[in-house]
């Protein structure tokens, strides 16, 4: 979803966005694998943005009948895409099973009531995987039926359709878990470590085989959409330029030209953007240093305490550092947009 089309739909004007959402709703009712949907809608948004920037009307692309265009747009989707969708859904179930198994194992390891020295391979625990499988199948079927009914009954926006699907997912999940948990109903159980192993093997197989589909998206929408520069930010950059000129004169370096200032700012943006790796590695470095310090001074009562310590540290640090980086990246994008706008004025 990195640089996904969903983040740039609002850049379309009214007529283009209406046509795009019509196609989007139609495509999401065709039971096509998730990555093909992302790719094809991304290609369409690319075409729409390019045409809009050229000042052409949307009918120059979709004609006078949007529904006919939708059918033509989806005409090359076949059985392969529908089979791939099933594998995509199994992937989601596998991730849920991995997550629930990890939580189950983690809490069993932290169980202080167990006085025996129990390791991972000797844990006595099972997972009710029939619950997850039935939930996945039910939601898959109801999702397909709902999308077809909604599209044929009434033209609605894709946002409303997705909201309906989310409510449906919550209701289906609550009903399924109530059936299995409150009534102690189960079709079959499996040892937790086997569930985790099988789910992990599926994911380890799925991603390499789906690599081409995942990496197929080549449209970079951020190159097609201009970053908005607020008047306040523009005024702040102008003041920065004025201060830089005064500083140069005070140091006897001569008057700083706007072109030289823009070059300097662009180099500064490039240097700052390279700090992304630093923000990624910093949580690991801080956690490692903190873990080593704690282990050498007070130590940990058990290896499960040490695992919990590491997980909690990373859970706190990663969101904070990622949020800081997003703020820094937003500033870089705004500066680059201002640089581009000022250079266009100089031409």
């Amino acid at each position: 979803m990195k640089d996904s089309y969903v983040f740039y739909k609002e850049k379309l004007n009214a007529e283009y966005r209406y046509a795009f959402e019509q196609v989007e709703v139609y495509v999401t009712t065709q039971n096509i694998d998730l990555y093909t949907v992302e790719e094809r809608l991304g290609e369409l948004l690319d075409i729409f943005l390019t045409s809009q920037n050229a000042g052409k009307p949307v009918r120059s692309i979709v004609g006078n009948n949007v529904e006919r265009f939708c059918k033509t747009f989806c005409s090359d989707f076949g059985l392969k895409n529908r089979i791939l969708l099933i594998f995509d859904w199994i992937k989601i179930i596998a991730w849920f099973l991995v997550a629930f198994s990890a939580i189950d194992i983690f809490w069993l390891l932290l169980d202080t009531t167990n006085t025996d020295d129990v390791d991972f391979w000797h844990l006595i625990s099972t997972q009710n995987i029939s619950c997850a499988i039935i939930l996945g199948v039910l939601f898959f079927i109801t999702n397909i039926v709902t999308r077809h009914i909604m599209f044929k009954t009434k033209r609605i926006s894709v946002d409303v359709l997705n909201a309906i699907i989310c409510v449906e997912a919550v209701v289906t999940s609550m009903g399924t878990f109530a059936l299995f948990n409150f009534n102690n109903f189960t079709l079959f159980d499996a040892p937790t470590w086997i569930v985790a192993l099988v789910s992990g093997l599926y994911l380890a197989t799925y991603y390499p085989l789906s690599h081409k589909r995942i990496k197929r998206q080549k449209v970079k929408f951020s190159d097609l959409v201009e970053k908005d520069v607020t008047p306040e930010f523009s005024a702040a950059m102008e003041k920065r330029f004025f201060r830089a000129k005064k500083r140069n004169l005070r140091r006897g370096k001569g008057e700083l030209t706007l072109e030289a200032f823009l070059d300097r700012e662009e180099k500064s943006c490039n240097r700052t953007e390279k700090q992304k790796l630093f923000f990624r590695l910093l949580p690991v470095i801080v956690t490692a240093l903190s873990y080593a310090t704690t282990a050498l001074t007070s130590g940990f009562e058990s290896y499960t305490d040490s695992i919990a310590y590491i997980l909690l540290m990373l859970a706190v640090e990663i969101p904070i550092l990622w949020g800081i980086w997003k703020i820094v990246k937003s500033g870089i994008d705004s500066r680059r947009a201002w640089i581009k706008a000022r250079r266009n004025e100089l031409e």
Side-chain angles (χ1 to χ4, degrees), residues 1-8 24 34-35 37-39 91 162 213-215 217 219 221 326:
M1 291 288 286
K2 184 178 181 181
D3 205 39
S4 171
Y5 77 89
V6 298
F7 302 120
Y8 297 93
E24 188 178 23
L34 307 178
Y35 296 111
V37 169
E38 175 78 12
E39 178 197 21
K91 172 202 69 175
N162 288 334
R213 286 198 300 142
I214 296 173
K215 296 296 183 182
Q217 175 63 268
V219 179
F221 305 110
K326 295 295 286 184

Side-chain angles (χ1 to χ4, degrees), residues 53-73:
N53 293 339
K56 298 179 181 179
V58 70
R59 66 176 179 274
S60 64
I61 300 172
V62 303
N64 296 322
N65 191 321
V66 178
E67 186 168 352
R68 186 184 303 134
F69 174 81
C70 291
K71 293 180 180 178
T72 304
F73 184 73

Side-chain angles (χ1 to χ4, degrees), residues 11 226-238 330-331 333-339 341-342:
K11 300 299 180 181
E226 295 290 339
K227 173 74 176 179
D228 296 329
V229 182
T230 63
E232 294 79 8
F233 185 84
S234 182
M237 290 301 296
E238 293 293 342
S330 177
D333 293 340
S334 295
R335 285 167 68 189
R336 282 182 170 158
W338 181 81
I339 292 169
R342 295 295 274 137

Side-chain angles (χ1 to χ4, degrees), residues 5-262:
Y5 77 89
V6 298
F7 302 120
Y8 297 93
K9 288 191 302 181
E10 69 276 5
K11 300 299 180 181
L12 296 170
N13 62 31
E15 64 166 352
Y16 271 94
R17 183 162 186 177
Y18 174 78
F20 183 83
E21 289 189 342
Q22 290 285 320
V23 181
E24 188 178 23
V25 171
Y26 185 85
V27 171
T28 56
T29 65
Q30 299 306 299
N31 309 323
I32 308 302
D33 64 287
L34 307 178
Y35 296 111
T36 298
V37 169
E38 175 78 12
E39 178 197 21
R40 293 300 298 276
L41 288 175
E43 291 173 353
L44 182 63
L45 182 60
D46 179 16
I47 295 170
F48 273 22
L49 285 170
T50 303
S51 178
Q52 177 180 281
N53 293 339
K56 298 179 181 179
V58 70
R59 66 176 179 274
S60 64
I61 300 172
V62 303
N64 296 322
N65 191 321
V66 178
E67 186 168 352
R68 186 184 303 134
F69 174 81
C70 291
K71 293 180 180 178
T72 304
F73 184 73
C74 298
S75 61
D76 58 340
F77 295 154
L79 179 62
K80 177 183 176 181
N81 296 108
R82 289 160 175 79
I83 294 175
L84 289 174
L85 177 62
I86 296 175
F87 287 113
D88 290 342
W89 274 91
I90 295 176
K91 172 202 69 175
I92 297 173
I93 296 175
W95 271 117
F96 273 110
L97 290 174
V98 167
F100 286 132
S101 298
I103 294 171
D104 190 20
I105 292 170
F106 180 73
W107 284 113
L108 282 171
L109 291 173
L110 289 180
D111 186 7
T112 56
T113 62
N114 189 352
T115 58
D116 298 329
D117 186 14
V118 180
D119 59 26
F120 172 81
W121 300 106
H122 295 88
L123 287 172
I124 302 174
S125 174
T126 59
Q127 283 285 326
N128 186 359
I129 60 174
S130 52
C131 174
I133 293 173
I134 291 178
L135 173 60
V137 172
L138 282 177
F139 183 60
F140 179 71
I141 294 173
T142 54
N143 179 49
I144 291 174
V145 173
T146 300
R147 289 183 182 275
H148 276 287
I149 291 176
M150 288 297 176
F151 181 76
K152 292 181 178 180
T153 303
K154 184 180 179 182
R155 295 290 186 185
I156 59 174
S157 72
V158 73
D159 294 330
V160 174
L161 178 59
N162 288 334
I164 294 172
I165 295 298
C166 286
V167 172
E168 184 180 87
V170 172
V171 172
T172 305
S173 301
M174 292 175 63
T176 306
F177 280 113
L179 171 65
F180 281 86
N181 293 329
F182 296 133
N183 296 311
N184 295 319
F185 177 75
T186 181
L187 296 177
F188 53 91
D189 292 337
T192 299
W193 71 269
I194 292 180
V195 174
L197 180 62
V198 172
S199 300
L201 287 175
Y202 177 83
L203 294 172
T205 305
Y206 170 87
Y207 283 103
L209 293 178
S210 303
H211 177 74
K212 290 184 178 179
R213 286 198 300 142
I214 296 173
K215 296 296 183 182
R216 231 164 29 186
Q217 175 63 268
K218 296 180 180 179
V219 179
K220 190 169 178 60
F221 305 110
S222 53
D223 293 337
L224 302 172
V225 178
E226 295 290 339
K227 173 74 176 179
D228 296 329
V229 182
T230 63
E232 294 79 8
F233 185 84
S234 182
M237 290 301 296
E238 293 293 342
K239 289 181 180 178
R240 185 170 181 162
F241 173 49
F242 179 73
R243 288 196 300 267
K245 285 200 301 183
K246 287 182 64 176
R247 186 164 54 249
N248 264 31
L249 290 172
R250 189 168 59 248
R251 294 175 180 177
K253 295 182 179 180
E255 186 173 355
L256 179 67
T257 64
L258 178 58
E259 187 62 40
F261 177 75
L262 296 178

